[in-house]
Amino acid sequence: MAISYARARLTTEDDRRYQAHVEKFKLQRKNQKAIRPPRQRDIFGGQAEAALRDWLAGQLPLDERRILEYEERRHRTAQIKYRELDALAIIDGVAWVFEIKASRTASAIRRAVAQLNETRQILHLLFHRVGVTILLVDTGIPADSAAADALMASDRPPPRRPEPLDEVLAALPQVQRIEDLAARSASDDQVNLMLFSVDDIIALVGAENLALNWEEDDLYDEADDEPPPEATLFASSGDDDEDDDNPLAAALRKAGLK
């Protein structure tokens, strides 16, 4: 299915049109299904995002216009959509976009690549150059095949073998690991990746300010290990299909409910 984009604009969270869109989705979600209680890992993910956004703000001039509005066109239909950018800096005409994730599965990298590739295409309507970077907090990703095999042999193995980090990076040559922000590239054929540990986040904000009691929710959910989507330009934009361009998902994450 041919998909194109038009009428892109950046705005802030208090934008009236965006707020109306959020309220509409809140009502739809309320009528459709109950929201599961947040797990400690979910809460930590939101806290890690806030910590890394503050860390970025100390190094780059972050833009407050983190809501991207755009028109998605499929054949003869068009729909206005929104997505929240985790962090955005506009420097010398270059738009630098950051996607922040905390995950124990390397599949999160595939999803982030898909989201950022799509976001970059939309932002090219506004900027000639767009650089994209994943900030990934590793909360238990097996580094290699040996680590993945050991996890499967443990007392509480996941439903299916997780992809090791080295295998995912080998399958995604577009992704280039960098050790500091100065090494990032704005090339259209590159997605920058910086890895952080849980200890890195603790060092930023303190353990007392983080949800770190993961024992009760440390059993794997089936949804955590579903086969990942292909890292193509039009793959799902979020961790779950239902989160794709869903402003409610962003609102729930901010409230610690997603």
Side-chain angles (χ1 to χ4, degrees), residues 25-196:
F25 274 93
K26 282 183 178 179
L27 181 61
Q28 290 178 357
R29 179 65 67 89
K30 181 179 180 180
N31 292 336
Q32 288 175 357
K33 65 178 181 179
I35 300 172
R36 72 179 184 187
R39 299 176 302 175
Q40 287 283 297
R41 284 182 178 272
D42 297 331
I43 297 172
F44 173 80
Q47 294 167 336
E49 178 182 327
L52 287 178
R53 187 180 299 114
D54 289 344
W55 173 77
L56 281 170
Q59 303 182 65
L60 299 173
L62 297 188
D63 200 300
E64 294 184 356
R65 298 171 300 161
R66 293 196 298 113
I67 305 302
L68 177 59
E69 178 189 85
Y70 60 98
E71 183 179 88
E72 181 182 278
R73 298 175 177 178
R74 297 172 181 257
H75 295 307
R76 297 183 179 181
T77 63
Q79 181 181 6
I80 297 296
K81 290 190 172 184
Y82 296 86
R83 65 177 59 194
E84 178 187 28
L85 309 180
D86 289 344
L88 170 68
I90 301 172
I91 305 172
D92 297 329
V94 181
W96 296 96
V97 181
F98 297 87
E99 175 68 17
I100 305 172
K101 290 187 178 295
S103 181
R104 57 180 165 176
T105 64
S107 300
I109 298 175
R110 294 183 182 274
R111 293 190 291 266
V113 168
Q115 179 170 352
L116 288 172
N117 278 336
E118 192 175 46
T119 297
R120 175 157 46 195
Q121 183 180 4
I122 299 168
L123 281 175
H124 270 315
L125 296 170
L126 301 174
F127 302 94
H128 178 65
R129 299 181 66 200
V130 180
V132 297
T133 302
I134 303 167
L135 305 182
L136 176 63
V137 183
D138 180 349
T139 64
I141 299 173
D144 51 31
S145 294
D149 292 341
L151 183 60
M152 295 305 295
S154 66
D155 293 336
R156 295 192 299 182
R160 56 185 65 86
R161 183 180 183 274
E163 292 182 291
L165 179 62
D166 60 355
E167 290 183 10
V168 170
L169 294 181
L172 296 173
Q174 184 185 17
V175 177
Q176 297 296 316
R177 285 189 61 175
I178 59 175
E179 298 301 324
D180 59 69
L181 291 177
R184 71 192 189 279
S185 168
S187 173
D188 275 353
D189 61 0
Q190 180 167 326
V191 175
N192 309 293
L193 170 66
M194 285 190 69
L195 292 180
F196 296 82

